[in-house]
Amino acid sequence: QVQLVESGGGLVPPGGSLRLSCAASGFTFTQFSMAWYREIPRQERELVAVINNGGWSTNYADSVRGRFTISRDNTKNMVYLQMNTLNTEDTAVYSCNAENPYSGLRYWGQGTQVTVSS
């Protein structure tokens, strides 16, 4: 049974930091690139950050580049999103995504709410 379970969301003041975690199970983690998406009501889901299966290649949305860092631990089947210098526009539901670039298989987590507010 495939599972992606996010944690680490919450309420943080502007300028603060949060670290999101995603625990993966039920599939061969090292065959999948991993990504974080975020969704704001009435807006399109946005790709925030992506990391390749080996962890040596990353890419970021322009809106978060320099503030967010994606990483993964292939020994623990975990992916992380370190978010620094948060602002109110970062408020969203953040979801973990796994994608196999060869088969096209995609899996999603349920999401975790991040609210940036004073």
Side-chain angles (χ1 to χ4, degrees):
Q1 178 185 357
V2 172
Q3 281 193 310
L4 292 173
V5 180
E6 301 97 337
S7 60
L11 174 64
V12 61
S17 298
L18 278 177
R19 187 194 195 207
L20 304 183
S21 300
C22 174
S25 61
F27 62 98
T28 306
F29 187 68
T30 53
Q31 292 182 358
F32 285 71
S33 63
M34 299 298 296
W36 288 95
Y37 285 77
R38 65 186 181 187
E39 193 163 10
I40 303 168
R42 297 177 296 279
Q43 294 189 24
E44 278 192 31
R45 184 163 51 194
E46 177 187 22
L47 174 62
V48 175
V50 59
I51 187 167
N52 74 332
N53 62 328
W56 61 82
S57 178
T58 59
N59 202 7
Y60 298 90
D62 288 342
S63 57
V64 307
R65 187 173 288 113
R67 300 187 296 122
F68 291 11
T69 302
I70 188 171
S71 61
R72 65 189 292 163
D73 185 338
N74 284 351
T75 68
K76 297 180 180 179
N77 286 12
M78 296 289 296
V79 63
Y80 307 97
L81 186 68
Q82 178 66 44
M83 305 186 295
N84 298 328
T85 320
L86 286 160
N87 59 61
T88 56
E89 294 179 347
D90 296 317
T91 295
V93 174
Y94 286 73
S95 297
C96 181
N97 164 268
E99 180 172 355
N100 185 308
Y102 301 105
S103 68
L105 276 174
R106 302 188 79 182
Y107 304 122
W108 291 93
Q110 294 284 354
T112 185
Q113 177 70 47
V114 171
T115 302
V116 184
S117 175
S118 55

